[in-house]
Coordinates of all heavy atoms in Angstrom, one line a residue:
I1 N 2.1 9.8 -1.1 CA 1.5 10.1 -2.4 C 1.7 11.6 -2.7 O 2.1 12.0 -3.8 CB 0.0 9.8 -2.4 CG1 -0.2 8.2 -2.3 CG2 -0.7 10.3 -3.6 CD1 -1.6 7.8 -2.2
N2 N 1.6 12.4 -1.6 CA 1.7 13.9 -1.8 C 3.2 14.2 -2.2 O 3.4 15.1 -3.1 CB 1.3 14.6 -0.6 CG -0.2 14.6 -0.3 OD1 -0.9 14.4 -1.3 ND2 -0.6 14.7 0.9
L3 N 4.1 13.6 -1.6 CA 5.5 13.9 -1.9 C 5.9 13.4 -3.3 O 6.6 14.1 -4.1 CB 6.5 13.2 -0.9 CG 6.7 13.9 0.4 CD1 7.5 13.0 1.3 CD2 7.3 15.2 0.3
A4 N 5.3 12.3 -3.8 CA 5.5 11.8 -5.1 C 4.9 12.7 -6.2 O 5.5 12.9 -7.3 CB 5.0 10.4 -5.3
R5 N 3.8 13.3 -5.9 CA 3.1 14.1 -6.9 C 3.6 15.5 -6.9 O 3.5 16.2 -7.9 CB 1.6 14.2 -6.5 CG 0.9 12.9 -6.8 CD -0.6 13.0 -6.6 NE -1.2 11.7 -6.9 CZ -2.4 11.4 -6.5 NH1 -3.1 12.2 -5.7 NH2 -2.9 10.2 -6.8
N6 N 4.1 16.0 -5.8 CA 4.6 17.4 -5.7 C 6.1 17.5 -6.0 O 6.9 17.0 -5.2 CB 4.3 17.9 -4.3 CG 4.6 19.4 -4.2 OD1 5.0 20.1 -5.1 ND2 4.2 20.0 -3.1
P7 N 6.5 18.1 -7.1 CA 7.9 18.2 -7.5 C 8.7 19.1 -6.6 O 9.9 19.1 -6.7 CB 7.8 18.6 -8.9 CG 6.5 19.4 -9.0 CD 5.6 18.7 -8.1
V8 N 8.0 19.9 -5.8 CA 8.8 20.9 -5.0 C 9.3 20.2 -3.8 O 8.6 19.5 -3.1 CB 7.8 22.0 -4.5 CG1 8.5 23.0 -3.6 CG2 7.3 22.8 -5.7
S9 N 10.6 20.4 -3.5 CA 11.2 19.7 -2.3 C 10.9 20.6 -1.1 O 11.1 21.8 -1.1 CB 12.7 19.6 -2.5 OG 13.3 19.0 -1.4
H10 N 10.4 20.0 -0.1 CA 10.1 20.7 1.2 C 11.2 20.5 2.2 O 11.9 19.5 2.1 CB 8.8 20.1 1.8 CG 7.6 20.3 0.9 ND1 7.0 21.5 0.7 CD2 6.9 19.4 0.1 CE1 6.0 21.4 -0.1 NE2 5.9 20.1 -0.5
G11 N 11.3 21.4 3.1 CA 12.3 21.3 4.1 C 12.1 20.0 5.0 O 13.1 19.4 5.4
R12 N 10.9 19.6 5.2 CA 10.6 18.4 6.0 C 11.0 17.1 5.2 O 11.1 16.1 5.8 CB 9.2 18.4 6.4 CG 8.8 19.5 7.4 CD 7.4 19.4 7.8 NE 6.5 19.5 6.7 CZ 5.2 19.4 6.8 NH1 4.6 19.3 8.0 NH2 4.4 19.5 5.7
S13 N 11.1 17.2 3.9 CA 11.4 16.0 3.1 C 12.9 15.9 2.8 O 13.3 15.1 2.0 CB 10.6 16.0 1.9 OG 10.9 17.0 1.0
K14 N 13.7 16.7 3.4 CA 15.1 16.8 3.0 C 15.8 15.5 3.3 O 16.7 15.1 2.5 CB 15.8 17.9 3.8 CG 17.2 18.1 3.5 CD 17.8 19.3 4.3 CE 19.2 19.6 3.9 NZ 19.8 20.7 4.6
H15 N 15.5 14.8 4.3 CA 16.2 13.6 4.7 C 15.5 12.3 4.5 O 15.7 11.3 5.1 CB 16.6 13.7 6.2 CG 17.5 14.8 6.5 ND1 18.8 14.9 6.1 CD2 17.3 16.0 7.1 CE1 19.3 16.0 6.5 NE2 18.4 16.7 7.1
I16 N 14.6 12.3 3.5 CA 13.8 11.1 3.2 C 14.7 10.2 2.4 O 15.6 10.5 1.7 CB 12.6 11.5 2.3 CG1 11.6 12.3 3.2 CG2 11.9 10.3 1.8 CD1 10.3 12.6 2.6
E17 N 14.4 8.9 2.6 CA 15.3 7.8 2.0 C 15.2 7.9 0.5 O 14.3 8.4 -0.1 CB 14.8 6.5 2.5 CG 15.0 6.3 4.0 CD 14.5 4.9 4.4 OE1 14.8 3.9 3.7 OE2 13.9 4.8 5.5
V18 N 16.2 7.3 -0.1 CA 16.4 7.3 -1.5 C 15.2 6.6 -2.2 O 14.8 7.1 -3.3 CB 17.7 6.5 -1.9 CG1 17.8 6.3 -3.4 CG2 18.9 7.3 -1.3
K19 N 14.5 5.6 -1.6 CA 13.4 5.0 -2.3 C 12.3 5.9 -2.5 O 11.6 5.8 -3.5 CB 13.0 3.8 -1.5 CG 12.4 4.1 -0.1 CD 12.1 2.8 0.6 CE 11.7 3.0 2.1 NZ 11.4 1.8 2.8
F20 N 12.1 6.9 -1.7 CA 11.0 7.9 -1.9 C 11.3 8.8 -3.1 O 10.5 9.2 -3.8 CB 10.6 8.6 -0.6 CG 10.1 7.7 0.4 CD1 10.8 7.4 1.5 CD2 8.8 7.2 0.2 CE1 10.2 6.5 2.5 CE2 8.2 6.3 1.2 CZ 9.0 6.0 2.3
H21 N 12.6 9.2 -3.2 CA 13.0 10.0 -4.3 C 12.9 9.2 -5.6 O 12.5 9.7 -6.6 CB 14.4 10.5 -4.1 CG 14.5 11.5 -3.0 ND1 13.9 12.7 -3.0 CD2 15.1 11.4 -1.7 CE1 14.2 13.4 -1.9 NE2 14.9 12.6 -1.1
F22 N 13.2 7.9 -5.6 CA 13.0 7.1 -6.7 C 11.6 7.0 -7.1 O 11.2 7.1 -8.3 CB 13.6 5.7 -6.4 CG 13.2 4.6 -7.5 CD1 13.9 4.6 -8.7 CD2 12.2 3.7 -7.3 CE1 13.5 3.7 -9.7 CE2 11.9 2.8 -8.2 CZ 12.5 2.8 -9.4
L23 N 10.7 6.8 -6.1 CA 9.3 6.7 -6.3 C 8.8 8.0 -7.0 O 8.0 8.0 -7.9 CB 8.5 6.5 -5.0 CG 7.0 6.4 -5.1 CD1 6.6 5.2 -6.0 CD2 6.5 6.2 -3.7
R24 N 9.2 9.2 -6.5 CA 8.8 10.4 -7.1 C 9.2 10.5 -8.5 O 8.4 11.0 -9.4 CB 9.4 11.6 -6.3 CG 8.9 12.9 -6.9 CD 9.7 14.1 -6.3 NE 9.6 14.1 -4.8 CZ 10.2 15.1 -4.1 NH1 10.8 16.1 -4.7 NH2 10.1 15.0 -2.8
D25 N 10.4 10.1 -8.8 CA 10.9 10.1 -10.2 C 10.1 9.2 -11.1 O 9.7 9.6 -12.2 CB 12.4 9.6 -10.2 CG 13.0 9.7 -11.6 OD1 12.8 10.8 -12.2 OD2 13.6 8.8 -12.0
V26 N 9.7 8.0 -10.7 CA 8.9 7.1 -11.5 C 7.5 7.6 -11.7 O 6.9 7.5 -12.8 CB 8.9 5.7 -10.8 CG1 8.0 4.7 -11.5 CG2 10.3 5.1 -10.7
V27 N 6.9 8.3 -10.7 CA 5.6 8.9 -10.8 C 5.7 10.0 -11.8 O 4.8 10.1 -12.7 CB 5.1 9.4 -9.5 CG1 3.8 10.2 -9.6 CG2 4.8 8.2 -8.6
N28 N 6.7 10.9 -11.7 CA 6.8 12.0 -12.7 C 7.0 11.5 -14.1 O 6.5 12.2 -15.0 CB 8.0 12.9 -12.3 CG 7.7 13.7 -11.0 OD1 6.5 13.9 -10.7 ND2 8.7 14.1 -10.3
K29 N 7.6 10.4 -14.3 CA 7.8 9.8 -15.6 C 6.6 9.0 -16.1 O 6.6 8.5 -17.2 CB 9.0 8.9 -15.7 CG 10.3 9.7 -15.5 CD 11.5 8.7 -15.5 CE 12.8 9.5 -15.4 NZ 14.0 8.6 -15.3
E30 N 5.5 9.0 -15.3 CA 4.3 8.3 -15.5 C 4.4 6.9 -15.8 O 3.7 6.3 -16.6 CB 3.5 9.0 -16.7 CG 3.2 10.5 -16.3 CD 2.4 11.2 -17.4 OE1 2.2 10.6 -18.5 OE2 2.0 12.3 -17.2
R31 N 5.4 6.2 -15.1 CA 5.5 4.8 -15.2 C 4.6 4.1 -14.3 O 4.2 2.9 -14.5 CB 6.9 4.4 -14.9 CG 7.9 4.8 -16.0 CD 9.3 4.3 -15.7 NE 10.2 4.8 -16.8 CZ 11.5 4.8 -16.6 NH1 12.1 4.2 -15.6 NH2 12.3 5.2 -17.6
I32 N 4.2 4.7 -13.2 CA 3.2 4.2 -12.3 C 2.3 5.3 -11.9 O 2.6 6.5 -12.0 CB 3.9 3.5 -11.0 CG1 4.6 4.6 -10.2 CG2 4.7 2.4 -11.4 CD1 5.0 4.1 -8.8
K33 N 1.1 4.9 -11.3 CA 0.2 5.9 -10.8 C -0.1 5.5 -9.4 O -0.5 4.3 -9.1 CB -1.1 5.9 -11.7 CG -2.1 6.8 -11.2 CD -3.4 6.7 -12.0 CE -4.5 7.6 -11.4 NZ -5.7 7.5 -12.2
L34 N 0.0 6.4 -8.5 CA -0.3 6.1 -7.1 C -1.8 6.5 -6.8 O -2.3 7.5 -7.2 CB 0.6 7.0 -6.2 CG 2.1 6.7 -6.3 CD1 2.9 7.6 -5.3 CD2 2.4 5.3 -6.0
T35 N -2.4 5.6 -6.0 CA -3.8 5.9 -5.6 C -3.9 5.6 -4.1 O -3.2 4.7 -3.6 CB -4.8 5.1 -6.4 OG1 -4.5 3.7 -6.2 CG2 -4.8 5.4 -7.9
Y36 N -4.8 6.3 -3.5 CA -5.0 6.2 -2.0 C -5.8 4.9 -1.8 O -6.7 4.5 -2.5 CB -5.8 7.3 -1.5 CG -6.2 7.2 0.0 CD1 -5.2 7.4 0.9 CD2 -7.4 6.8 0.4 CE1 -5.5 7.3 2.3 CE2 -7.7 6.7 1.7 CZ -6.8 7.0 2.6 OH -7.0 6.8 4.0
C37 N -5.4 4.2 -0.8 CA -6.0 2.9 -0.4 C -6.4 3.0 1.1 O -5.5 3.3 2.0 CB -5.1 1.7 -0.6 SG -5.9 0.1 -0.2
K38 N -7.7 2.9 1.5 CA -8.1 3.0 2.8 C -7.4 2.0 3.7 O -7.1 0.9 3.3 CB -9.6 2.9 2.9 CG -10.4 4.0 2.2 CD -11.9 3.7 2.4 CE -12.6 4.7 1.6 NZ -14.1 4.5 1.6
T39 N -7.3 2.3 5.0 CA -6.6 1.4 5.9 C -7.4 0.1 6.0 O -6.8 -1.0 6.0 CB -6.6 2.0 7.3 OG1 -5.9 3.2 7.2 CG2 -5.9 1.1 8.3
L40 N -8.7 0.1 5.9 CA -9.5 -1.1 6.0 C -9.4 -2.0 4.7 O -9.8 -3.1 4.7 CB -11.0 -0.8 6.2 CG -11.3 0.0 7.5 CD1 -12.8 0.4 7.5 CD2 -11.0 -0.9 8.7
E41 N -8.8 -1.5 3.7 CA -8.7 -2.2 2.4 C -7.2 -2.7 2.1 O -6.9 -3.1 1.0 CB -9.2 -1.4 1.3 CG -10.7 -1.1 1.4 CD -11.1 -0.1 0.3 OE1 -10.3 0.4 -0.5 OE2 -12.3 0.3 0.3
Q42 N -6.3 -2.5 3.1 CA -4.9 -2.9 2.9 C -4.8 -4.4 3.0 O -4.7 -5.0 4.1 CB -4.1 -2.2 4.0 CG -4.0 -0.8 3.9 CD -3.2 -0.3 2.8 OE1 -2.4 -1.0 2.2 NE2 -3.3 1.0 2.4
L43 N -4.8 -5.1 1.9 CA -4.8 -6.5 1.8 C -3.5 -7.1 2.4 O -3.4 -8.2 2.8 CB -5.0 -7.0 0.4 CG -6.4 -6.7 -0.2 CD1 -6.5 -7.2 -1.6 CD2 -7.5 -7.3 0.7
A44 N -2.4 -6.3 2.4 CA -1.1 -6.8 2.9 C -1.2 -7.1 4.4 O -0.4 -7.8 4.9 CB 0.0 -5.8 2.6
D45 N -2.2 -6.4 5.1 CA -2.4 -6.6 6.5 C -2.6 -8.1 6.8 O -2.3 -8.6 7.9 CB -3.5 -5.8 7.0 CG -3.2 -4.3 7.1 OD1 -2.0 -4.0 6.9 OD2 -4.1 -3.5 7.5
L46 N -3.2 -8.8 5.8 CA -3.5 -10.2 6.0 C -2.2 -11.0 6.3 O -2.3 -12.0 7.1 CB -4.2 -10.8 4.7 CG -4.6 -12.2 4.7 CD1 -5.7 -12.5 5.7 CD2 -5.1 -12.6 3.3
C47 N -1.1 -10.6 5.7 CA 0.1 -11.3 5.9 C 1.1 -10.7 6.9 O 2.1 -11.3 7.3 CB 0.9 -11.4 4.5 SG -0.1 -12.2 3.2
T48 N 0.7 -9.5 7.4 CA 1.7 -8.8 8.2 C 1.2 -8.5 9.6 O 2.0 -8.1 10.4 CB 2.1 -7.5 7.6 OG1 1.0 -6.7 7.4 CG2 2.8 -7.7 6.2
K49 N -0.1 -8.7 9.9 CA -0.6 -8.3 11.2 C -1.6 -9.3 11.7 O -2.2 -10.0 11.0 CB -1.4 -7.0 11.1 CG -0.6 -5.8 10.7 CD -1.5 -4.6 10.6 CE -0.7 -3.4 10.1 NZ -1.5 -2.2 10.0
P50 N -1.7 -9.4 13.1 CA -2.7 -10.3 13.6 C -4.1 -9.6 13.4 O -4.2 -8.4 13.7 CB -2.4 -10.4 15.1 CG -1.5 -9.2 15.4 CD -0.8 -8.8 14.1
L51 N -5.1 -10.3 12.9 CA -6.4 -9.7 12.6 C -7.5 -10.4 13.4 O -7.4 -11.6 13.7 CB -6.7 -9.7 11.1 CG -5.7 -9.0 10.2 CD1 -6.0 -9.4 8.7 CD2 -5.7 -7.6 10.4
A52 N -8.6 -9.7 13.6 CA -9.8 -10.3 14.2 C -10.3 -11.3 13.1 O -10.1 -11.1 11.9 CB -10.8 -9.3 14.5
I53 N -10.9 -12.4 13.5 CA -11.3 -13.4 12.6 C -12.2 -12.9 11.5 O -12.1 -13.3 10.3 CB -12.0 -14.6 13.4 CG1 -12.2 -15.8 12.5 CG2 -13.3 -14.2 14.0 CD1 -10.9 -16.5 12.1
D54 N -13.2 -12.0 11.8 CA -14.1 -11.5 10.7 C -13.3 -10.7 9.7 O -13.5 -10.9 8.5 CB -15.2 -10.7 11.3 CG -14.8 -9.5 12.1 OD1 -13.6 -9.6 12.7 OD2 -15.5 -8.5 12.2
K55 N -12.3 -9.9 10.1 CA -11.5 -9.2 9.1 C -10.6 -10.1 8.4 O -10.4 -10.0 7.2 CB -10.7 -8.1 9.9 CG -10.0 -7.2 8.9 CD -9.4 -6.0 9.7 CE -8.8 -5.1 8.6 NZ -8.2 -3.9 9.3
F56 N -10.1 -11.1 9.0 CA -9.2 -12.1 8.4 C -10.0 -12.8 7.3 O -9.5 -13.0 6.1 CB -8.7 -13.1 9.4 CG -7.9 -14.2 8.8 CD1 -6.6 -14.1 8.4 CD2 -8.5 -15.5 8.6 CE1 -5.9 -15.1 7.8 CE2 -7.9 -16.5 8.0 CZ -6.6 -16.3 7.6
V57 N -11.2 -13.3 7.6 CA -12.0 -14.1 6.6 C -12.4 -13.2 5.5 O -12.3 -13.6 4.3 CB -13.3 -14.7 7.3 CG1 -14.2 -15.2 6.3 CG2 -12.9 -15.7 8.3
N58 N -12.7 -11.9 5.7 CA -13.1 -11.0 4.7 C -11.9 -10.8 3.7 O -12.0 -10.9 2.5 CB -13.6 -9.7 5.3 CG -14.0 -8.7 4.2 OD1 -14.3 -9.0 3.1 ND2 -14.1 -7.4 4.6
M59 N -10.7 -10.5 4.3 CA -9.6 -10.2 3.4 C -9.1 -11.5 2.7 O -8.7 -11.4 1.6 CB -8.4 -9.7 4.3 CG -8.6 -8.3 4.7 SD -7.2 -7.6 5.5 CE -7.6 -5.9 5.5
R60 N -9.2 -12.6 3.4 CA -8.9 -13.9 2.8 C -9.7 -14.2 1.5 O -9.2 -14.6 0.5 CB -9.1 -15.0 3.8 CG -8.7 -16.4 3.2 CD -8.9 -17.5 4.2 NE -10.4 -17.6 4.4 CZ -10.9 -18.4 5.4 NH1 -10.2 -19.0 6.2 NH2 -12.2 -18.5 5.5
S61 N -11.0 -13.9 1.6 CA -11.8 -14.1 0.4 C -11.5 -13.1 -0.7 O -11.6 -13.4 -1.9 CB -13.3 -13.9 0.8 OG -13.6 -12.6 1.2
K62 N -11.1 -11.9 -0.4 CA -10.7 -10.9 -1.4 C -9.5 -11.3 -2.2 O -9.4 -10.9 -3.4 CB -10.5 -9.5 -0.7 CG -11.7 -8.8 -0.3 CD -11.4 -7.4 0.3 CE -12.7 -6.7 0.7 NZ -12.4 -5.4 1.2
I63 N -8.6 -12.1 -1.6 CA -7.4 -12.5 -2.4 C -7.6 -13.9 -3.0 O -6.7 -14.4 -3.6 CB -6.1 -12.4 -1.6 CG1 -6.1 -13.4 -0.4 CG2 -5.8 -11.0 -1.1 CD1 -4.8 -13.6 0.3
G64 N -8.8 -14.5 -2.8 CA -9.1 -15.7 -3.4 C -8.7 -17.0 -2.7 O -8.8 -18.1 -3.2
M65 N -8.4 -16.8 -1.4 CA -8.1 -18.0 -0.6 C -9.4 -18.6 0.0 O -10.3 -17.9 0.2 CB -7.2 -17.6 0.6 CG -5.8 -17.4 0.3 SD -4.9 -16.9 1.8 CE -3.7 -18.2 1.9
V66 N -9.3 -19.9 0.2 CA -10.5 -20.5 0.9 C -9.9 -21.4 2.0 O -8.8 -21.7 2.1 CB -11.2 -21.4 -0.1 CG1 -11.9 -20.6 -1.2 CG2 -10.3 -22.5 -0.7
S67 N -10.8 -21.7 3.0 CA -10.4 -22.5 4.1 C -10.4 -23.9 3.7 O -11.0 -24.3 2.7 CB -11.3 -22.3 5.3 OG -12.6 -22.8 5.0
F68 N -9.7 -24.8 4.5 CA -9.7 -26.2 4.3 C -11.1 -26.8 4.3 O -11.4 -27.7 3.6 CB -8.8 -26.9 5.3 CG -7.3 -26.8 5.0 CD1 -6.5 -26.2 6.0 CD2 -6.8 -27.2 3.8 CE1 -5.2 -26.0 5.7 CE2 -5.4 -27.1 3.6 CZ -4.6 -26.5 4.5
E69 N -12.0 -26.3 5.1 CA -13.3 -26.8 5.2 C -14.1 -26.6 3.9 O -15.0 -27.4 3.6 CB -14.1 -26.1 6.3 CG -13.6 -26.4 7.7 CD -12.5 -25.4 8.2 OE1 -12.4 -24.3 7.6 OE2 -11.7 -25.8 9.0
N70 N -13.8 -25.6 3.1 CA -14.5 -25.4 1.9 C -13.9 -26.1 0.7 O -14.4 -26.1 -0.4 CB -14.4 -23.9 1.5 CG -15.2 -23.0 2.5 OD1 -16.1 -23.5 3.2 ND2 -14.9 -21.8 2.6
L71 N -12.8 -26.9 0.9 CA -12.2 -27.7 -0.2 C -12.9 -29.0 -0.4 O -12.8 -29.5 -1.5 CB -10.7 -27.9 0.1 CG -9.8 -26.7 0.1 CD1 -8.4 -27.1 0.5 CD2 -9.8 -26.1 -1.2
N72 N -13.6 -29.5 0.5 CA -14.3 -30.8 0.3 C -15.6 -30.7 -0.2 O -16.4 -29.9 -0.3 CB -14.4 -31.6 1.7 CG -13.0 -31.9 2.2 OD1 -12.1 -32.1 1.4 ND2 -12.8 -32.0 3.5

């Protein structure tokens, strides 16, 4: 987020992949807005990581999924 918002190129960002430079360009043109999302609220984790059952159930409900037991 910081690299996308800051138009100044830093020495540490010299070798960043093209997708981040594209992202910075899109943010500067105000086509998208980046906002911070806490680690505990990353809904993509539901599909990409093994989760404890309580966290899984919580995230599952946030995206509108229900268990088979709740279908009957």
Side-chain angles (χ1 to χ4, degrees):
I1 293 174
N2 289 334
L3 282 172
R5 288 183 181 162
N6 188 355
V8 178
S9 180
H10 298 285
R12 293 184 299 182
S13 64
K14 184 176 180 180
H15 299 289
I16 291 184
E17 294 182 39
V18 173
K19 63 183 173 182
F20 293 109
H21 293 291
F22 169 76
L23 181 62
R24 182 189 306 180
D25 185 48
V26 175
V27 168
N28 287 335
K29 291 178 180 176
E30 298 180 356
R31 292 184 181 166
I32 64 170
K33 179 181 176 184
L34 298 179
T35 57
Y36 177 76
C37 184
K38 296 178 184 177
T39 302
L40 297 175
E41 297 172 359
Q42 295 286 344
L43 296 179
D45 287 353
L46 183 64
C47 301
T48 61
K49 296 180 181 177
L51 300 172
I53 190 69
D54 57 333
K55 188 170 182 179
F56 173 81
V57 171
N58 182 18
M59 288 188 168
R60 182 182 68 189
S61 68
K62 286 183 179 182
I63 65 170
M65 283 181 124
V66 294
S67 66
F68 283 120
E69 293 86 24
N70 295 338
L71 292 176
N72 296 329

